[in-house]
Amino acid sequence: MRAPEREYDSDPASHAHSQTRTLSSSPPPKTNGYVANGHGSPINGSSKHLKSPVARVELPGSTIYDDSYIDREEYIRLVIQSLRDIGYIESAATLEAESGYVMETSRVAEFRRCILDGTWSEAEGALGHLGVGEDDGLWEAKFLISQQKYLEYLEMGKITMALHVLRNELAPLHMDPELLHPLSSLIMCTDSADLRQKAGWDGAHGSSRRRLLVNLQSYIPSSLMIPPRRFVTLLDQARLHQISHCIYHNAPVTPQHFSLYADHTCDTDLFPRITTTILQVHTDEVWSLEWSHNGKFLASASKDKSVIVWSVGPNSNPDIYVHLHLQDHQFPVGCLAWSLDDTILLSSCEQLIKMWNTESGALIRTIEAHTEPVSALAWVPDGSGFISASQDRKINLWGSDGKQRDSWGITATRIIDLAVTPDYTRLVAIGESAKDPILPPPRSDATAASGANRNGNNNTATSSPRTLEYLMIVYDLTTKQPELSVSLGGQLTSVKISSDSQYALVNHAPDEIHLWDLFTGRLARKYTGQRQGRHIIRSCFGGVDGNFVVSGSEDGNVYVWHRDRAILLDVLTGHGSGSVNSVAWNPRNTQMFASCSDDCTIRLWEPSAGDRDGDSSTRLAHRTADDRSHEGEPNVKGKGRSRESWVEDDSASRSL
């Protein structure tokens, strides 16, 4: 958009596409009404910021480089907007004068002023001069302006004027009744605070007018009214594009990890693919792992009828010891769940749920409400309680005190696992359902029941064959009603939810992991390579943005994929024979995750010692007296220090 050779005394839009470029030493043009950040108070004419006239520069061509497709005018106007956004007003004015381009016309600036000042009639009249026609959403734009006017009249207590706007401006626009009816009900609000709360609106003196301006901008051609912070938006898009192509991306986006000077890439040596510690205290298969929310403790559940809570320092080796050894379980332990504040740990053994104090190791309560093995435990995101599910088809909601608050009743499936979305809107359950409506008889044999916890199917419980259907059911947490039910062809063993509540990660036999988009109800991706046919395998999301998928396998290996591209990144070896049953990524240390196996061990995976913060000798100096009995561990072929075997330190653990 070209600036004229004289001060603005008419609409300069007619100069927008002029190709005449002359070197001029005349005074720079006025550019009335420019706004920092696209939202602030208008800045009076830019010419006053210049101490001396600036010569307009004539350049050949219309792109910024001869071999570039980027239009010079668009580029310069975005630079001017960015300079104003960050406070370089004088520099922006100089660039306008030197280039001959202005960020926006006086009519655009006037429209911006009308919206921010609340002069609604003038704002509506200006829409027609900004290229907004009926086909471009003129009526929708007018509705937004009248809606703001209506709310502001209600806020001021001018009910008669608000009613006039409702009847004579909003209603004649014939918008969707679902938009109009909630607005009409706001007349009954008792005061302005009640109005703002019910309307989800922060008032005329809040940010509502600025948000209105952003919403209106979508109806105005971007060549006239540049979208806010457009240059930053383009840079953010470039950053996301680079991250999506960095398949080992595992670094937070900070000025230290992202620069405009070079394309972003992560060092593959910083990926956690080395076993730095082997934990060997359990005497039988280790079935499940859960990190505390603060990332300082790792709980492991085993077939040996115990739970061990490990204290893990910022770097696992050697800052690790047994914090608690919880042995008061009558049967093998299947599930674990930490409370939001990490003060309570839940464990399940058969139909029992146990609540433990994680500081003292004291047993708080034993809950017996299910009639078959408890297959899933999950704390609700607000920390007020937890949900349990069982193969008896029941889902129960408990308070943090262990008292039952609600129930889903008898569900459609024998539940194998469940998870609650972090936004606390959905519950995702997976399970099996017999197509024959006759249920198998309850099992009383403890060995068979523990085998059902270990293995995904329960056919050992009945002598007659039956056809099983495997389902993923998504429940609305408010209504407890299913909003999505998907029948899948193979056995399902675990489900995890992404931190943005969008994706459900489901282990699916044989030999697949599925990523389901909960927003669309569609299968987004499949991950293959691991082996899973008859055992419960629990996978997880991992990394700084949850951009990895990690799973154990019945071949004894750990598999890592890029979440969005479904590329198999690594197959990590080291566990002994048998299945790797569960993996868990540290929520606070993005360079550490854990795996557990039938070989009775837990492995912690990190970058090699030379690539982590601090070397081995530095971390060795911070070890406590209780840890000194563990010194002298061997190295593993130069891949970082590794603890081949841990002997339980009675002085640092508590056995119950």
Side-chain angles (χ1 to χ4, degrees), residues 226-247:
I226 302 172
R229 303 178 64 178
R230 181 59 184 161
F231 229 141
V232 174
T233 299
L234 293 173
L235 293 176
D236 283 341
Q237 291 172 357
R239 174 182 60 84
L240 293 174
H241 175 78
Q242 292 174 27
I243 288 175
S244 70
H245 282 73
C246 176
I247 60 174

Side-chain angles (χ1 to χ4, degrees), residues 122-137:
E122 295 178 29
E124 287 185 17
L127 284 173
H129 298 289
L130 297 178
V132 183
E134 293 187 14
D135 294 338
D136 302 312

Side-chain angles (χ1 to χ4, degrees), residues 407-432:
S407 174
W408 269 250
I410 302 300
T411 65
T413 63
R414 297 169 61 86
I415 297 169
I416 297 171
D417 198 11
L418 66 75
V420 180
T421 58
D423 62 7
Y424 203 9
T425 60
R426 297 181 175 95
L427 182 149
V428 183
I430 59 172
E432 61 183 25

Side-chain angles (χ1 to χ4, degrees), residues 312-320 589 592 606 612-614 619:
V312 182
N315 296 303
S316 66
N317 180 16
D319 300 323
I320 186 167
N589 182 351
M592 178 194 294
E606 298 178 87
R612 283 175 280 149
D613 294 335
R619 286 182 278 109

Side-chain angles (χ1 to χ4, degrees), residues 371-588:
T371 58
E372 290 201 50
V374 175
S375 53
L377 295 168
W379 284 82
V380 296
D382 64 0
S384 62
F386 62 91
I387 293 174
S388 66
S390 168
Q391 295 172 21
D392 63 7
R393 299 174 180 261
K394 294 180 181 178
I395 300 176
N396 294 327
L397 175 63
W398 309 85
S400 58
D401 57 0
K403 296 180 180 180
Q404 187 168 343
R405 289 167 39 188
D406 207 345
S407 174
W408 269 250
I410 302 300
T411 65
T413 63
R414 297 169 61 86
I415 297 169
I416 297 171
D417 198 11
L418 66 75
V420 180
T421 58
D423 62 7
Y424 203 9
T425 60
R426 297 181 175 95
L427 182 149
V428 183
I430 59 172
E432 61 183 25
S433 176
K435 293 185 179 180
D436 182 349
I438 300 176
L439 298 179
R443 294 165 297 169
S444 58
D445 180 69
T447 302
S450 63
N453 272 338
R454 176 68 182 89
N455 299 309
N457 62 59
N458 306 305
N459 292 337
T460 57
T462 177
S463 58
S464 59
R466 56 188 176 133
T467 302
L468 294 178
E469 182 180 25
Y470 295 96
L471 301 172
M472 180 184 74
I473 303 178
V474 181
Y475 292 92
D476 183 293
L477 268 177
T478 302
T479 65
K480 301 184 181 62
Q481 296 302 309
E483 61 179 42
L484 174 68
S485 181
V486 182
S487 178
L488 301 175
Q491 183 180 338
L492 313 178
T493 65
S494 76
V495 59
K496 291 289 191 300
I497 307 296
S498 61
S499 60
D500 60 3
S501 300
Q502 181 174 0
Y503 296 107
L505 187 69
V506 180
N507 276 64
H508 179 284
D511 306 338
E512 290 183 347
I513 299 173
H514 291 180
L515 186 72
W516 283 88
D517 190 325
L518 299 179
F519 294 171
T520 65
R522 297 180 179 179
L523 178 64
R525 287 168 197 86
K526 290 183 180 180
Y527 309 95
T528 59
Q530 89 290 1
R531 296 290 176 263
Q532 179 180 349
R534 61 191 182 90
H535 289 168
I536 287 183
I537 305 293
R538 302 181 189 276
S539 60
C540 73
F541 295 99
V544 67
D545 297 319
N547 50 320
F548 303 116
V549 169
V550 189
S551 180
S553 173
E554 290 181 9
D555 62 10
N557 297 323
V558 176
Y559 288 74
V560 185
W561 297 265
H562 188 274
R563 188 189 76 179
D564 294 334
R565 302 177 68 181
I567 299 171
L568 180 61
L569 300 180
D570 279 296
V571 179
L572 306 179
T573 62
H575 276 291
S577 60
S579 295
V580 176
N581 301 310
S582 182
V583 290
W585 205 289
N586 190 314
R588 298 296 182 185

Side-chain angles (χ1 to χ4, degrees), residues 168-480:
N168 299 291
E169 296 183 25
L170 290 169
L173 291 173
H174 302 294
M175 300 299 291
D176 189 341
E178 292 185 2
L179 296 175
L180 203 58
H181 291 164
L183 288 175
S184 62
S185 67
L186 295 175
I187 292 179
M188 306 304 295
C189 292
T190 56
D191 55 30
S192 59
D194 185 34
L195 168 71
R196 289 191 290 269
Q197 192 274 327
K198 290 182 178 177
W201 181 71
D202 65 355
H205 297 292
S207 60
S208 63
R209 291 182 180 178
R210 295 179 182 179
R211 289 200 303 271
L212 171 63
L213 188 61
V214 172
N215 292 333
L216 290 172
Q217 202 150 0
S218 63
Y219 299 99
I220 300 171
S222 57
S223 59
L224 288 177
M225 192 172 186
I226 302 172
R229 303 178 64 178
R230 181 59 184 161
F231 229 141
V232 174
T233 299
L234 293 173
L235 293 176
D236 283 341
Q237 291 172 357
R239 174 182 60 84
L240 293 174
H241 175 78
Q242 292 174 27
I243 288 175
S244 70
H245 282 73
C246 176
I247 60 174
Y248 284 96
H249 175 70
N250 197 28
V253 179
T254 65
Q256 290 73 33
H257 294 93
F258 186 81
S259 172
L260 296 178
Y261 295 140
D263 289 347
H264 170 78
T265 183
C266 286
D267 187 348
T268 58
D269 291 336
L270 295 177
F271 189 80
R273 56 161 58 93
I274 304 298
T275 297
T276 56
T277 306
I278 302 175
L279 308 177
Q280 187 172 318
V281 174
H282 285 295
T283 58
D284 210 328
E285 298 170 357
V286 188
W287 288 350
S288 185
L289 294 171
E290 289 290 338
W291 287 98
S292 61
H293 294 86
N294 62 17
K296 297 179 180 180
F297 297 96
L298 176 67
S300 56
S302 172
K303 188 179 178 182
D304 67 9
K305 305 178 184 179
S306 76
V307 171
I308 295 179
V309 178
W310 309 86
S311 176
V312 182
N315 296 303
S316 66
N317 180 16
D319 300 323
I320 186 167
Y321 58 87
V322 176
H323 173 60
L324 298 171
H325 198 163
L326 310 176
Q327 297 177 305
D328 190 14
H329 296 89
Q330 298 91 326
F331 306 104
V333 184
C335 304
L336 299 166
W338 290 86
S339 63
L340 196 63
D341 60 3
D342 294 329
T343 60
I344 299 173
L345 178 67
L346 305 175
S347 63
S348 71
C349 57
E350 293 306 299
Q351 74 274 17
L352 304 177
I353 302 170
K354 293 181 178 289
M355 301 179 66
W356 305 92
N357 181 302
T358 58
E359 177 61 31
S360 65
L363 179 62
I364 300 172
R365 183 187 294 268
T366 298
I367 301 171
E368 187 172 0
H370 292 283
T371 58
E372 290 201 50
V374 175
S375 53
L377 295 168
W379 284 82
V380 296
D382 64 0
S384 62
F386 62 91
I387 293 174
S388 66
S390 168
Q391 295 172 21
D392 63 7
R393 299 174 180 261
K394 294 180 181 178
I395 300 176
N396 294 327
L397 175 63
W398 309 85
S400 58
D401 57 0
K403 296 180 180 180
Q404 187 168 343
R405 289 167 39 188
D406 207 345
S407 174
W408 269 250
I410 302 300
T411 65
T413 63
R414 297 169 61 86
I415 297 169
I416 297 171
D417 198 11
L418 66 75
V420 180
T421 58
D423 62 7
Y424 203 9
T425 60
R426 297 181 175 95
L427 182 149
V428 183
I430 59 172
E432 61 183 25
S433 176
K435 293 185 179 180
D436 182 349
I438 300 176
L439 298 179
R443 294 165 297 169
S444 58
D445 180 69
T447 302
S450 63
N453 272 338
R454 176 68 182 89
N455 299 309
N457 62 59
N458 306 305
N459 292 337
T460 57
T462 177
S463 58
S464 59
R466 56 188 176 133
T467 302
L468 294 178
E469 182 180 25
Y470 295 96
L471 301 172
M472 180 184 74
I473 303 178
V474 181
Y475 292 92
D476 183 293
L477 268 177
T478 302
T479 65
K480 301 184 181 62

